[in-house]
Amino acid sequence: GKDKILLAYTTGHPDNELPNHLYFNYININTLTLEDVKGRTLSKIAEGPHQVSKRPEYAEKYPDAVVDAPNDSRNWLWQVVADKDSRPSIAMVRINDAKESHDYVYARWDGNQWQTTFLANGGGHFHQTSGLEKCYSGGMAIDDAQANVIYCSVPVEGTYGRHYEIMKYTVQHDGTVVSEAVTRNSKQNNARPYMIPSSVKTPLRLIWMQGYYYDWIVSRERPGYPTAICADYTWKGPKVNSNKKLLNDKQKR
């Protein structure tokens, strides 16, 4: 937001790569250079692309640019934010070889090295269509006002069976994790949590999708994602008239 652009990325799509490593860099817009988290210059933008590699030689040469380099899983990025000390925090998922188990992981730069913390298992792909987009997790979101707070969509057994619920995870200073349910006993899945940017001074901050998700496109074979948008917020305004699709009659004018 000032003089740096934060970049986190993998070498490719997890559907196609095993293993798939996760990296972090800055773009310094004053010097137009690509830097690692310690400010070491990796390349000058004017000289062309910086060639990233999963080979051991790359990690040896640029150790602080590599956030996570597993040998047996597929990493996928969800979000990167800077905490109050301007240190990057990353929400990521480790997906196993068969793409049937998704682990939510929180990575944070502590000033000296990358620290990764397991949050929860997110099950497999969250949507209703079997065999499609098996790397689609229920979703993660970091609170940009409290970068140690992460919201995840996790499968939970409840009153109406197994559905994805929104869980809040707080990573403590000692690395322990405290969990809290945001939704519970839902009749439909809750997925893709999202923190509204720059909403710290408002009561409406966390939103997510609730309903059925068949595909990321709408087609004759599958009806896309007929979901509602929900929020962790109590509406205090006029009653919604869902039949007229209006909040109140004044909106007619």
Side-chain angles (χ1 to χ4, degrees), residues 14-33:
D15 259 343
N16 308 318
E17 290 203 17
L18 176 73
N20 199 1
H21 297 172
L22 186 78
Y23 305 83
F24 175 86
N25 303 139
Y26 291 116
I27 290 179
N28 185 324
I29 56 178
N30 294 319
T31 60
L32 294 181
T33 53

Side-chain angles (χ1 to χ4, degrees), residues 141-157:
I142 303 175
D143 185 343
D144 57 354
Q146 305 174 83
N148 65 320
V149 175
I150 309 96
Y151 295 90
C152 299
S153 172
V154 179
V156 177
E157 292 291 340

Side-chain angles (χ1 to χ4, degrees), residues 10-20 73-77 93-97 99 102 133-137:
T10 61
T11 49
H13 196 296
D15 259 343
N16 308 318
E17 290 203 17
L18 176 73
N20 199 1
S73 60
R74 310 164 187 268
N75 278 336
W76 209 351
L77 169 74
V93 181
R94 290 182 185 143
I95 304 169
N96 72 343
D97 183 7
K99 308 175 188 177
H102 299 203
E133 300 291 2
K134 296 184 72 175
C135 291
Y136 272 21
S137 308

